[in-house]
Amino acid sequence: MSTTQAEILVSGKPGSGPGLALSAPISFWGGVDPKTGCIADVRHPEHGLSIAGCVLFLPGTIGSSSASAVLMELVHNGRAPAALVLHEPDAILLLGLIVAREMGWDTPLALRLDRNRFGAFAGRQVTVEADGRLS
Amino acid sequence: MSLALTPEERAIATGEAGEGAAMAMRIVAESAKLLGAPRLIPIASAHIDGALYHGDSGTLFAERLVEGGARVAVRATLNVGALDLMGCSRVRLEEPARGMARRMMEAYRKLGCEQNWTCAPYQAGHRPAAGTDVAWGESNAVAFCNSVLGARTNRYGDFLDIACAIAGRAPDYGLHRPENRRATLVFDVSNLPAKFLKSEIAWPILGNLYGREVGNAVGVMAGVPGHPGEDALKAFGAAAASSGAVGLFHIADVTPEAPTLAVALGGLEPQATIRVTPQMVADARRSLSTAASDDRIDAVAIGSPHLSLAEFDRLEALINGRRLRVPIYACTGRHVVWELDRQQRRTALETAGVVVVVDTCVVVTPILPDKPDGVLMTNSGKFAHYAPGNTGYAVIYGSLADCVESAAIGKPILTDFA
């Protein structure tokens, strides 16, 4: 299988899981249940799916200033994605990983990759290496 | 461009001033790297939105800072928490969340933050001077601070706000830089009837529309006939910052960085002009209501942002000694409640059927009765935006006068306007 090199936004623990590519931007606050990792926004196309343990591909994020709190809470509850792959960095969301790492908790990697390349990973098992390689 | 820290900043980040200060400095520096900021800049004050309980991890973070000996380096006021510490209203948050929310509020106190617990700190004596750099959280406070006070802040999210307050620094980025504060869009309201523009209801509705039309760009409103008053600008900013990611707006001849339309635009042509029509206003007003019908209400909520003393004056005048059939939840800060109590006005309000909510508000914590098909009437563009998702209540949007009249007779009254 071929590998893709992505840029590391926030370093973290390598991981693998099913590739879940969201088809619309999401607001973590109000959009993801911090206790379960389920997509709670009823207007979101992937409403009801869980992001926990997935390699999550985000085409865009809707900035709420509490997105970081939700992502950190997911990490704390063991319901975070195995890795996050963003089309564009979202400093508020990724702050949740930075703070969780400061707390000494295991945090997933966050990578940057053009959303046109998400399709190759959606729906299959994806492995993310510590150096930012996806396969 | 990569981030360059000063020798002092690097020393703090490696623990010279204690582990709490180090953690805060590293968080600010990591955020600066993600944002592409070249350096950190000193800040004069902070307003902290991070003390609202979303889960245990936020409490553990604040307590870790306390254990590490951290203290805020600049004046830091606190936004609402999840509890009414003054005990004016009953918050239905159950244990263990209740205990964790209380521990979180306590940790922020120990970090040296002022116990204001208000989303309108700018009406509780925290007013940074024009041109100063600050790190504020809470979207309405950010909009007011930038736009009405002319101080400079980005929209600081949870954790970064307190980290900046402890470090006394913020990433040099975004709205801290003068070149990013220039308006590129014109939001022209000169085609709207003067009677509407002078009404109290105009401001939250125009704010909602502005937020959706302008989003995170910087715009300037043109065609406003004179200064509408600070509470109107407060309502406008709150509505705009909840329907769009508005951090800074200008109003020609009203706000400090817009002495004229041309100055707000930096002498350049706007990229676009949005000409607001009466139809757009009518649509925006309709979009603020979500209730299927206008035949009943279960509660009225006002005070997002928190009510000022002047707004309580108006509430009392509108109630005019009547006993309300439907409760009015009036959210405010202790800076106003102390004044109401000093003037012995709160008891009469409560006897009439007003529930004074202090230190928090009805959309961030469970206060309204649990009612699956409940209908809430409000004059706040921000409550109208968040109440359906956060409380389960459907919303009817109306002016303050209509809200009070509806509460008094027990069913919704909606006055046509313009």
Side-chain angles (χ1 to χ4, degrees):
Chain A
M1 184 167 303
S2 66
T3 62
T4 301
Q5 182 68 49
E7 178 194 343
I8 296 176
L9 294 170
V10 181
S11 58
K13 196 167 158 262
S16 65
L20 173 61
L22 300 189
S23 55
I26 192 159
S27 163
F28 270 64
W29 189 69
V32 178
D33 182 332
K35 288 197 170 63
T36 63
C38 284
I39 296 177
D41 179 355
V42 293
R43 290 171 301 254
H44 197 276
E46 280 83 35
H47 170 234
L49 294 185
S50 172
I51 64 169
C54 291
V55 175
L56 181 66
F57 293 82
L58 295 166
T61 47
I62 300 168
S64 153
S65 55
S66 292
S68 41
V70 173
L71 183 52
M72 183 160 88
E73 188 64 16
L74 288 169
V75 171
H76 181 61
N77 292 331
R79 303 300 291 170
L84 289 98
V85 185
L86 289 82
H87 175 70
E88 274 181 326
D90 173 336
I92 289 181
L93 177 66
L94 296 179
L95 185 64
L97 296 182
I98 291 169
V99 177
R101 202 174 55 188
E102 283 287 339
M103 292 297 290
W105 300 332
D106 276 343
T107 55
L109 276 152
L111 305 172
R112 178 189 209 160
L113 187 70
D114 192 284
R115 63 179 153 229
N116 293 325
R117 303 174 69 183
F118 288 1
F121 300 98
R124 64 173 185 78
Q125 191 71 13
V126 182
T127 299
V128 180
E129 310 285 350
D131 62 2
R133 273 180 306 156
L134 288 159
S135 59
Chain B
M1 204 182 323
S2 64
L3 174 72
L5 295 182
T6 65
E8 186 200 356
E9 288 161 353
R10 279 200 301 272
I12 292 170
T14 51
E16 190 178 79
E19 191 38 44
M23 193 167 159
M25 185 63 81
R26 288 194 299 264
I27 290 169
V28 176
E30 284 292 325
S31 296
K33 275 187 214 160
L34 273 176
L35 294 165
R39 69 183 78 81
L40 307 183
I41 50 172
I43 53 165
S45 78
H47 179 65
I48 314 291
D49 189 24
L52 176 63
Y53 176 79
H54 294 292
D56 292 357
S57 60
T59 303
L60 299 176
F61 166 67
E63 289 180 344
R64 179 73 63 87
L65 290 172
V66 173
E67 286 157 20
R71 292 279 298 179
V72 295
V74 294
R75 180 178 191 192
T77 48
L78 283 164
N79 204 60
V80 296
L83 299 173
D84 182 336
L85 297 178
M86 301 279 282
C88 294
S89 61
R90 208 183 91 69
V91 174
R92 296 182 296 103
L93 194 65
E94 303 300 336
E95 296 294 348
R98 190 179 189 87
M100 290 302 274
R102 183 175 288 276
R103 270 172 57 181
M104 185 179 211
M105 294 172 89
E106 180 62 11
Y108 278 88
R109 186 187 67 76
K110 287 182 180 160
L111 290 170
C113 301
E114 293 176 26
Q115 307 288 293
N116 325 76
W117 305 115
T118 182
C119 53
Y122 44 82
Q123 292 184 327
H126 188 181
R127 296 172 78 93
T132 52
D133 288 298
V134 297
W136 280 34
E138 160 53 35
S139 64
N140 103 81
V142 168
F144 194 97
C145 181
N146 270 317
S147 314
V148 183
L149 302 181
R152 296 174 181 173
T153 180
N154 287 309
R155 301 185 318 125
Y156 286 91
D158 288 6
F159 315 134
L160 186 54
D161 48 15
I162 187 67
C164 287
I166 293 166
R169 289 166 174 81
D172 184 11
Y173 166 81
L175 295 175
H176 290 296
R177 304 183 72 93
E179 66 270 24
N180 296 329
R181 299 178 66 85
R182 185 178 73 78
T184 57
L185 299 174
V186 175
F187 186 82
D188 182 354
V189 297
S190 57
N191 287 332
L192 300 178
K195 182 165 163 264
F196 170 70
L197 287 173
K198 289 197 172 115
S199 71
E200 159 226 318
I201 199 172
W203 293 91
I205 295 175
L206 288 174
N208 174 273
L209 185 59
Y210 179 96
R212 280 187 288 128
E213 295 283 334
V214 177
N216 64 359
V218 179
V220 55
M221 202 188 314
V224 172
H227 199 298
E230 191 168 299
D231 286 323
L233 297 179
K234 169 173 89 168
F236 176 85
S242 43
S243 65
V246 174
L248 165 64
F249 61 84
H250 301 293
I251 303 179
D253 307 322
V254 173
T255 57
E257 289 165 80
T260 65
L261 183 60
V263 169
L265 290 163
L268 303 174
E269 284 298 307
Q271 288 166 10
T273 296
I274 300 149
R275 292 185 203 287
V276 181
T277 64
Q279 186 60 48
M280 288 162 79
V281 170
D283 291 346
R285 184 192 191 180
R286 245 193 315 280
S287 78
L288 284 167
S289 295
T290 63
S293 66
D294 285 346
D295 58 2
R296 67 182 179 90
I297 50 168
D298 298 290
V300 169
I302 59 176
S304 181
H306 275 171
L307 297 176
S308 64
L309 198 60
E311 288 172 309
F312 269 102
D313 294 344
R314 195 153 143 64
L315 175 65
E316 281 173 334
L318 288 164
I319 292 174
N320 195 19
R322 289 177 292 178
R323 209 179 190 108
L324 305 172
R325 293 186 174 206
V326 164
I328 297 180
Y329 292 83
C331 306
T332 190
R334 39 180 78 184
H335 59 290
V336 171
V337 165
W338 283 329
E339 197 55 30
L340 286 177
D341 283 352
R342 199 181 63 77
Q343 300 172 11
Q344 299 180 317
R345 292 161 65 185
R346 178 154 65 100
T347 310
L349 282 164
E350 288 173 344
T351 307
V354 175
V355 180
V356 179
V357 175
V358 190
D359 297 339
T360 185
C361 87
V362 297
V363 301
V364 301
T365 201
I367 290 175
L368 297 174
D370 195 5
K371 206 161 186 185
D373 60 347
V375 178
L376 181 74
M377 188 163 177
T378 185
N379 71 332
S380 157
K382 183 162 182 169
F383 273 163
H385 186 85
Y386 285 112
N390 292 10
T391 69
Y393 279 61
V395 165
I396 296 176
Y397 180 79
S399 67
L400 181 63
D402 283 352
C403 283
V404 173
E405 213 47 41
S406 303
I409 66 163
K411 64 184 184 111
I413 298 287
L414 288 165
T415 308
D416 276 336
F417 68 94

